[in-house]
Amino acid sequence: MNIFFQNVIAGLETGSLYALAALGLVLIFRTTDVINFAQGEMAMFCSFIGFKLFTSLGLPYPVAFIVTIIFAVLFGFIIEKYVIRSVNKASVVSKMIVTLGLIMVISGLATALFGIDSHYLRKAITLDNLNIGGVVIQPNAIFIILVTIVIMSVLFYMIRKTLFGIAIRATAQNETTAKLMGIPVNRITSSSWIIATVLGAIAGLLIAPTTNVSTTMMGEIHLKSFIAAVVGGFGSFLGPVVGGFLIGILDNLVGYYITLKWKTVIVYGLLIVVLIFKPTGLFGKIHRKKV
Amino acid sequence: MLKFKNVDAYYGYIHALKDVSIEVPKGKIVTLLGANGAGKTSILKVISGLLEIKEGSYEFDGKDLKNYKPEDIVSMGIVQSPEGRQIFPDLTVHENLMVGAYTRKDKLNINKSLIKGYEYFPILREREKQIAGTLSGGEQQMLAIARALMAKPKLLLLDEPSLGLAPLIVKDIFNIIQEINKSGTTILLVEQNAHQALSIADYAYILETGKVVHSGHAIELRNDEKVKKAYLGSS
């Protein structure tokens, strides 16, 4: 039983990171209909910035973390304003291809600036493991889960209760009418890119101790965050979060109890099963957006 | 208050507005009549900043409106209740109304407008917490008008408020449009239901394929034989 709980906590830990990344994807998708395939690379780039601030500049870890987030704000703003908005008149599919191109641009840039080596970055919390009734828990795992819950709560409060959040949802449902009501749709789009980039950067920094900082570090998280978003439902904000936790836990349980070799295949199988019975995802509604 | 001078506008190659000149005086109800595709909605799109003009000029309170973004137009006091209502179906009634108040600077007075909106349409108060997509057609139309009023417009643009509604509900809504006008809001009303529109309007323009073909005081047009025949049925 202890092993089971350890696996669940480890699942919540990685699941948190899937959830953060998935929420970023969904936020951009809901406001602009675009899926940002470069989300993982953008997070990787931010992680390198954090790593450099921490090692080369020798900033204390928390300061490096916060400066990285500030960088992510600027990074998201610049990518939206100068790349995505400049192809505003192109179709949604073309814009998605543009984000595919961004993968190459950003990973090329990262290789040129930071090299191809992979580097260790410390955990956010480096205290000794806790032992609660035989269940061994890493304080860092608790930290990651708590950070995710806090970020989610703030985001959900914002989306549900504030006028800004109502404007985001209105834009997601009907962009033209949102404009007619005086909502500055450009600013909403820009904000969703900024928030998504910050979420990705946080996920990147927190996964770095496990994957190391390298140009390919986000590969698995990025893919799993897509699955989380689809399983939970691209049409809702809560779905991807639940999907992220679900996949994280399943990943660990399947890996431990059944087979490590086939765990990815089984988790992908889950995606297919969910889509057969619930084509819009667990929490999804049919997404109808008028432009 | 609002003036179009020789405006030309295109959708791609389609010449949507041809040399259109209209005027909406302060405090009045002006209506644009005409069949589908006559250019009525295009005029509203131009006003709201969704369609660029090619020739001519248009101004509001003496200010040239060209090159303003939709959100700036709303801030100036011109708000549209679009064709087909276009409420936000997954937001609650209350949230829809709050979207209408997005540009308001006087945050403290928003509640007053909300109460005012509920006075015009009491049914919306009852449905305050309901998801707007579940409202009936008539209720959605009321919500669309109330939402536009939340911005405290000086000029209210109404695009086909009678579309697809039962005659009794149309009558109610037109009565309230008149009331809104009496409380000081200028109204530009686009309608296919010419009979209904002429009964509350002060002045009317009739459009055909992007051109103004006829205009006059509503009372005159109501009794004009040619207009009667073409737009009011044989009555």
Side-chain angles (χ1 to χ4, degrees), chain B residues 11-231:
Chain B
Y11 290 114
Y13 293 111
I14 301 166
H15 201 166
L17 296 177
K18 298 167 192 159
D19 197 27
V20 169
S21 298
I22 59 169
E23 205 170 318
V24 182
K26 199 176 166 148
K28 302 288 185 199
I29 300 181
V30 173
T31 182
L32 305 176
L33 306 174
N36 249 339
K40 300 167 304 200
T41 299
S42 303
I43 291 178
L44 295 195
K45 280 197 171 146
V46 167
I47 300 171
S48 286
L50 293 179
L51 179 63
E52 268 179 53
I53 64 169
K54 192 118 192 197
E55 302 285 339
S57 68
Y58 60 115
E59 57 182 49
F60 177 67
D61 280 346
K63 200 169 176 183
D64 189 352
L65 283 186
K66 212 175 160 180
N67 299 328
Y68 280 100
K69 290 192 209 129
E71 62 256 35
D72 303 326
I73 305 280
V74 176
S75 298
M76 280 179 215
I78 306 179
V79 186
Q80 181 175 158
S81 162
E83 185 179 1
R85 334 194 216 291
Q86 310 294 352
I87 51 141
F88 301 107
D90 295 337
L91 301 187
T92 64
V93 167
H94 181 254
E95 285 171 339
N96 264 281
L97 293 171
M98 292 316 286
V99 172
Y102 192 86
T103 55
R104 289 278 290 269
K105 298 279 181 291
D106 52 335
K107 300 286 177 207
L108 293 174
N109 291 326
I110 288 177
N111 219 25
K112 261 192 218 157
S113 300
L114 192 65
I115 291 166
K116 186 97 186 139
Y118 287 151
E119 269 170 30
Y120 284 130
F121 306 108
I123 189 77
L124 294 181
R125 188 202 295 275
E126 283 170 41
R127 306 243 186 274
E128 195 173 8
K129 298 253 172 339
Q130 206 166 311
I131 299 294
T134 63
L135 298 180
S136 73
E139 288 162 357
Q140 291 191 9
Q141 185 58 58
M142 294 174 194
L143 178 57
I145 296 174
R147 181 180 63 180
L149 288 177
M150 288 298 289
K152 235 183 164 182
K154 292 180 200 149
L155 173 63
L156 177 62
L157 312 175
L158 295 171
D159 199 348
E160 305 243 10
S162 76
L163 194 75
L165 300 182
L168 265 178
I169 297 171
V170 172
K171 218 174 144 209
D172 276 355
I173 287 179
F174 273 72
N175 282 339
I176 288 166
I177 294 172
Q178 243 175 334
E179 254 181 74
I180 292 168
N181 174 248
K182 278 192 192 124
S183 72
T185 309
T186 309
I187 290 174
L188 179 57
L189 171 67
V190 161
E191 259 303 338
Q192 281 197 54
N193 187 339
H195 203 72
Q196 205 50 264
L198 285 177
S199 71
I200 64 166
D202 298 292
Y203 204 83
Y205 291 89
I206 298 177
L207 288 114
E208 251 171 46
T209 58
K211 267 193 288 227
V212 176
V213 292
H214 208 79
S215 67
H217 289 281
I219 304 174
E220 291 164 19
L221 289 187
R222 244 181 330 209
N223 299 319
D224 185 305
E225 285 308 318
K226 241 170 55 195
V227 173
K228 260 189 186 171
K229 226 173 169 180
Y231 300 99

Side-chain angles (χ1 to χ4, degrees), chain A residues 15 18-20 22-23 148 152 156 228-229 232 237-246:
Chain A
Y18 301 154
L20 285 175
L23 196 59
T148 304
M152 299 291 169
F156 278 120
F237 289 109
L238 182 66
V241 177
V242 177
F245 283 123
L246 203 68

Side-chain angles (χ1 to χ4, degrees), chain A residues 169 173-174 177 180-181 288, chain B residues 74 80 86 88-90 95:
Chain A
R169 284 184 286 142
Q173 287 171 40
N174 190 332
T177 310
L180 283 180
M181 294 304 118
R288 39 175 183 186
Chain B
V74 176
Q80 181 175 158
Q86 310 294 352
F88 301 107
D90 295 337
E95 285 171 339

